Amino acid sequence: MKRTPLIAGNWKMNGSSIFVEEVVSTFSSFNDQHVDVVIFPPFVYVETMKKLLSNSLVKVGAQNISTFSEGAYTGEISGSMLKECQCDYVVVGHSERRVLFHESDQECLQKVIMAQTHGIIPILCVGESLKEREHEQAFSVIEQQLMAVISDSRVNSQQLMIAYEPVWAIGTGKTATPAMAQDMHHFIRSLLSTHLGQDTAQNTRILYGGSVKSDNASMLLAQKDIDGALVGGASLVIESFTDIIRAASSVKRV
Ligand code: 13P
């Protein structure tokens, strides 16, 4: 089974109109078929980027989606609005949203369903904290976060991507070793296989996130069950991001 690697750039609450222009001019004619690229700018830049990248294979996604369809929910953005902006993907359950904005597994489930209802592919983030890893709870935490979503029969498992982002590796410069990341990715794939079947497990892309840089991307992406990267800080430096994309495009799996 061949899973095309996917490199996603999560800008978080960073960027500006000038940075949008720089990124768009870098990727305006991107046409590498060996790697999928998705950029997740803040909401306000999604529509512009999508339009400006219409001749490029680079896709654009949103960093969040409301659990509500419409109404008096100040500050929220709905699935239909994202669809109108031709948003292709949405990040769900990023640890920053789980920790800082107290998003629960139940809300993540609702967001996944909402995205899929509008034809947007959710990337469900899962990840353990340092304390949980030190207490040897990493695997049970990931299992709980994953099962909260995949065990619900309303979720379309064919239209779902997973990102394993250990919280202790995000923005810290500490990356999981390739072996450590591969172990968790293998575990996630085995859960997918047990609960959704072998075919779905083999078809689902599982990304790694947490201090992915140009100098560690190749080793991580070479692992059998690592199908791409969700890149934070390094996606804000165009040269680093393009280096990571190049690494993914030429990677040979071990
Ligand atoms: P960093 O690459 O900055 O560690 O961020 C990872 C991340 O949270 C991507 O969603």
Side-chain angles (χ1 to χ4, degrees):
M1 159 79 248
K2 189 180 170 303
R3 295 178 295 268
T4 305
L6 186 144
I7 301 298
N10 175 11
W11 292 7
K12 311 190 179 183
M13 201 174 71
N14 295 294
S16 61
S17 303
I18 291 174
F19 186 59
V20 167
E21 275 173 34
E22 285 169 14
V23 171
V24 162
S25 78
T26 305
F27 289 105
S28 58
S29 53
F30 180 85
N31 63 0
D32 187 340
Q33 313 258 4
H34 300 106
V35 55
D36 290 336
V37 177
V38 190
I39 296 175
F40 293 90
F43 281 133
V44 290
Y45 304 124
V46 169
E47 189 166 19
T48 312
M49 288 195 78
K50 185 71 203 179
K51 282 187 182 142
L52 294 174
L53 288 168
S54 59
N55 292 323
S56 163
L57 289 181
V58 170
K59 301 274 198 283
V60 182
Q63 297 173 17
N64 193 14
I65 181 171
S66 179
T67 54
F68 302 106
S69 296
E70 65 176 341
Y73 302 105
T74 302
E76 292 287 277
I77 309 282
S78 72
S80 61
M81 291 169 189
L82 293 180
K83 195 62 201 171
E84 253 183 357
C85 299
Q86 294 174 41
C87 190
D88 303 295
Y89 294 87
V90 64
V91 176
V92 172
H94 191 280
S95 66
E96 285 148 19
R97 297 219 56 90
R98 291 180 189 262
V99 175
L100 302 173
F101 301 97
H102 313 293
E103 276 184 16
S104 64
D105 283 336
Q106 200 53 35
E107 280 170 297
C108 293
L109 168 63
Q110 286 164 9
K111 289 180 180 204
V112 164
I113 294 170
M114 191 55 90
Q116 292 183 338
T117 302
H118 292 281
I120 300 166
I121 299 180
I123 301 184
L124 174 71
C125 301
V126 295
E128 82 284 0
S129 67
L130 183 58
K131 198 164 157 214
E132 288 160 345
R133 181 157 281 268
E134 283 172 354
H135 286 79
E136 303 195 347
Q137 294 164 341
F139 289 88
S140 61
V141 167
I142 300 309
E143 181 166 3
Q144 185 191 317
Q145 292 175 344
L146 189 67
M147 289 307 295
V149 172
I150 66 164
S151 64
D152 192 292
S153 60
R154 292 168 295 175
V155 171
N156 177 355
S157 55
Q158 312 300 315
Q159 298 290 319
L160 179 67
M161 230 183 270
I162 312 292
Y164 169 56
E165 296 206 305
V167 179
W168 47 270
I170 295 177
T172 58
K174 284 187 208 154
T175 325
T177 63
M180 212 188 245
Q182 164 58 27
D183 264 3
M184 190 58 87
H185 281 234
H186 176 74
F187 176 67
I188 293 170
R189 203 176 304 286
S190 63
L191 287 172
L192 295 175
S193 180
T194 305
H195 298 279
L196 303 172
Q198 173 75 1
D199 281 358
T200 301
Q202 287 307 316
N203 285 324
T204 303
R205 284 185 283 190
I206 308 172
L207 315 181
Y208 170 79
S211 298
V212 176
K213 309 278 180 224
S214 40
D215 58 1
N216 59 25
S218 298
M219 286 292 283
L220 287 160
L221 294 167
Q223 304 303 308
K224 187 167 167 280
D225 289 296
I226 298 185
D227 306 314
L230 185 48
V231 184
S235 72
L236 299 170
V237 181
I238 294 178
E239 207 174 67
S240 304
F241 194 52
T242 50
D243 280 351
I244 294 169
I245 293 167
R246 255 194 300 278
S249 174
S250 58
V251 74
K252 299 268 180 298
R253 299 285 178 84
V254 291

